[in-house]
């Protein structure tokens, strides 16, 4: 990924099309759209506590033992993504091991309801995990044991899951993969790269956009994955582009606009600055927590921080040689056996 970024910086925009072709990096078994002949999937919807509609997929192993109760895992997608990006992959792999799994679209994203589209609300995102627990606990299709429901959050969803678990003890085991703390990164940037003056400028721009919208102006979008690489693109830009803007991971839900994928609304994006998911994370104990990160991930600081603050039992598992986005879909790197063991042991 960094190599691609250096090429762009060295040779500039003239080689954009060459870089785009190189960006479809399918190494390490990248298989975002993995399907299994041993797993059945149902499209589902369920209500949040606030009576908003959340969309998801329900996965079960074919021909399970219906007489026995089953453990379940709720899986959340990366921030700005949809369930078809990474979450389905994890959910299917766990379903193959006998877990009932749900991959969900966070509110305002994908097929879930909520307007404006791509709005930011960490509180409602966290509520989606608890709403999925509600759903699993009352539907009869899979005979889920209410006392054996866990959660798995990928990227930003790791922080939303932790926020949910702090006040929902029904989530019995909590795992995160390649986690982002969406509050910390909104306030400070990666590796504390955004100072207070820059943060206040972001807030000011968002506030002015809010005036534009209440006066009838158009909704504007911000951040997210670039729609094209330029001479100024960073290594992180290239890493996300390689996944979200190529055949490797691009997915546009029906009825949505492709070039808005991963881009939150400008006027709501600052809501994350009031999000502190790791405060009181120790109160989740004695429920177990597993933090998975690539040892080369640009986001590793967030898993390290959460692990340091969490109570026991806890584990921080490093995937050697893996970057942040590698753990979205590179099945030869994602430690599915580790996740399976964690949930089998604790659910």
């Amino acid at each position: 990924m960094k190599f691609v970024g250096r090429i762009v910086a060295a040779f500039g925009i003239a080689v954009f099309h060459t870089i785009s072709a190189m960006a479809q990096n399918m190494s390490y078994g990248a298989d975002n759209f993995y399907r299994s002949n041993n797993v059945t999937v149902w499209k589902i919807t369920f209500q949040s506590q606030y009576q908003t509609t959340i969309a998801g997929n329900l996965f079960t192993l074919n021909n399970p033992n219906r007489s026995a109760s089953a453990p379940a895992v709720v899986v959340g997608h990366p921030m700005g993504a949809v369930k078809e990006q990474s979450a389905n992959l994890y959910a299917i792999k766990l379903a193959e091991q006998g877990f009932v799994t749900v991959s969900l679209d966070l509110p305002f994203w994908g097929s879930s309801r909520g307007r404006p589209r791509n709005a930011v609300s960490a509180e409602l995102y966290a509520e989606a995990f608890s709403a999925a627990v509600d759903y699993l606990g009352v539907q009869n299709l899979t005979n889920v044991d209410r006392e054996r429901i866990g959660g798995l959050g990928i990227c930003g969803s790791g922080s939303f899951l932790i926020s949910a678990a702090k006040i929902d003890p029904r989530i019995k085991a909590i795992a995160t993969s390649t986690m982002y703390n969406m509050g910390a990164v909104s306030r400070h940037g990666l590796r504390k790269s955004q100072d207070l003056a820059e943060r206040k400028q972001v807030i000011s721009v968002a506030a002015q956009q809010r005036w534009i919208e209440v006066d009838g102006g158009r909704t504007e979008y911000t951040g997210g994955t670039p729609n094209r690489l330029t001479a100024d693109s960073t290594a992180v830009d290239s890493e996300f582009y390689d996944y979200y803007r190529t055949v490797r991971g691009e997915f546009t839900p029906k009825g949505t606009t492709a070039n808005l994928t991963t881009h939150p609304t400008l006027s709501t994006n600052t809501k994350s600055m009031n999000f502190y998911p790791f405060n009181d994370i120790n109160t989740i104990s004695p429920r177990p927590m597993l933090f998975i990160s690539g040892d080369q991930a640009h986001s590793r600081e967030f898993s390290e921080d959460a692990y340091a603050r969490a109570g026991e039992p806890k584990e921080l598992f490093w995937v050697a040689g893996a970057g942040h986005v590698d753990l979205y879909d590179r099945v030869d790197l994602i430690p599915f056996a580790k996740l399976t063991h964690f949930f089998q042991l604790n659910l």
Side-chain angles (χ1 to χ4, degrees):
M1 306 296 184
K2 294 180 180 178
F3 178 67
V4 172
R6 287 197 295 267
I7 292 176
V8 174
F11 296 101
I13 191 105
V15 297
F16 169 71
H17 294 294
T18 302
I19 298 301
S20 296
M22 292 171 59
Q24 296 178 18
N25 184 346
M26 305 296 284
S27 62
Y28 297 100
D31 197 0
N32 180 74
F33 301 105
Y34 174 76
R35 295 293 180 266
S36 173
N37 292 329
N38 298 320
V39 171
T40 300
V41 56
W42 289 270
K43 291 184 178 182
I44 60 172
T45 59
F46 50 92
Q47 298 299 113
S48 74
Q49 196 172 47
Y50 300 100
Q51 298 304 298
T52 60
T53 300
I54 298 170
N57 287 328
L58 175 70
F59 300 92
T60 64
L61 189 65
N62 294 343
N63 303 315
N65 180 1
R66 297 297 187 190
S67 64
S69 61
V73 180
V74 181
V75 183
H77 58 72
M79 175 60 195
V82 292
K83 61 185 179 298
E84 290 81 7
Q85 293 166 316
S86 192
N88 276 357
L89 170 61
Y90 278 75
I92 294 171
K93 288 289 188 177
L94 288 172
E96 287 181 322
Q97 303 305 314
F99 297 95
V100 175
T101 59
V102 167
S103 65
L104 52 82
D105 280 329
L106 295 177
F108 310 104
W109 298 88
S111 298
S112 288
R113 299 291 180 87
R115 290 194 176 279
R117 300 309 298 163
N118 300 18
V120 175
S121 175
E123 180 179 2
L124 293 183
Y125 297 166
E127 159 60 21
F129 282 92
S130 291
V133 173
D134 294 342
Y135 170 82
L136 286 166
V138 300
Q139 56 88 28
N140 297 319
L141 178 65
T142 55
N143 195 26
V144 167
D145 185 340
R146 287 186 175 188
E147 298 302 314
R148 300 168 68 198
I149 302 175
L152 168 60
I154 305 161
C155 186
S157 275
S159 59
F160 308 138
L161 171 61
I162 288 170
S163 182
K166 288 191 297 184
I167 57 173
D168 192 343
R170 301 175 305 163
I171 304 174
K172 301 299 185 181
I174 296 93
T176 68
S177 182
T178 200
M179 178 169 58
Y180 256 68
N181 177 341
M182 294 309 302
V185 76
S186 295
R187 290 185 294 274
H188 306 298
L190 288 169
R191 296 181 289 275
K192 305 294 190 299
S193 59
Q194 177 173 274
D195 63 24
L196 180 58
E198 291 169 320
R199 187 198 317 177
K200 288 185 174 181
Q201 177 61 22
V202 171
I203 293 171
S204 177
V205 171
Q208 290 303 312
Q209 175 60 28
R210 186 161 179 158
W211 278 126
I212 292 171
E213 291 174 10
V214 298
D215 287 336
R218 62 179 292 176
T219 301
E220 295 292 341
Y221 299 85
T222 188
T225 302
N227 293 327
R228 58 176 297 172
L229 297 178
T230 72
D232 297 322
S233 295
T234 66
V236 174
D237 289 337
S238 297
E239 185 179 3
F240 281 118
Y241 182 96
D242 183 64
Y243 178 78
Y244 284 110
R245 302 297 181 233
T246 76
V247 295
R248 175 182 162 195
E250 194 281 327
F251 185 88
T252 303
K254 184 177 180 180
T256 63
T257 304
N259 62 8
L260 291 183
T261 307
T262 80
H263 297 302
T265 57
L266 175 59
S267 62
T268 68
N269 198 39
T270 51
K271 303 293 187 184
S272 291
M273 292 185 183
N274 277 344
F275 181 45
Y276 293 84
F278 297 169
N279 285 8
D280 296 326
I281 190 175
N282 60 300
T283 62
I284 292 175
S285 176
R287 287 172 288 154
M289 302 191 73
L290 170 64
F291 307 98
I292 296 172
S293 178
D295 65 0
Q296 303 302 309
H298 67 257
S299 57
R300 60 176 289 162
E301 62 181 292
F302 304 122
S303 293
E304 290 172 325
D305 185 23
Y307 175 78
R309 299 187 191 203
E312 296 288 350
K314 61 182 178 179
E315 181 179 359
L316 176 55
F317 183 83
W318 294 111
V319 180
H324 175 81
V325 177
D326 287 335
L327 298 188
Y328 284 10
D329 68 336
R330 298 195 189 281
V331 295
D332 294 346
L333 290 175
I334 299 170
F336 290 115
K338 182 71 177 179
L339 284 165
T340 297
H341 178 73
F342 173 77
F343 285 121
Q344 286 176 338
L345 182 65
N346 295 297
L347 293 181

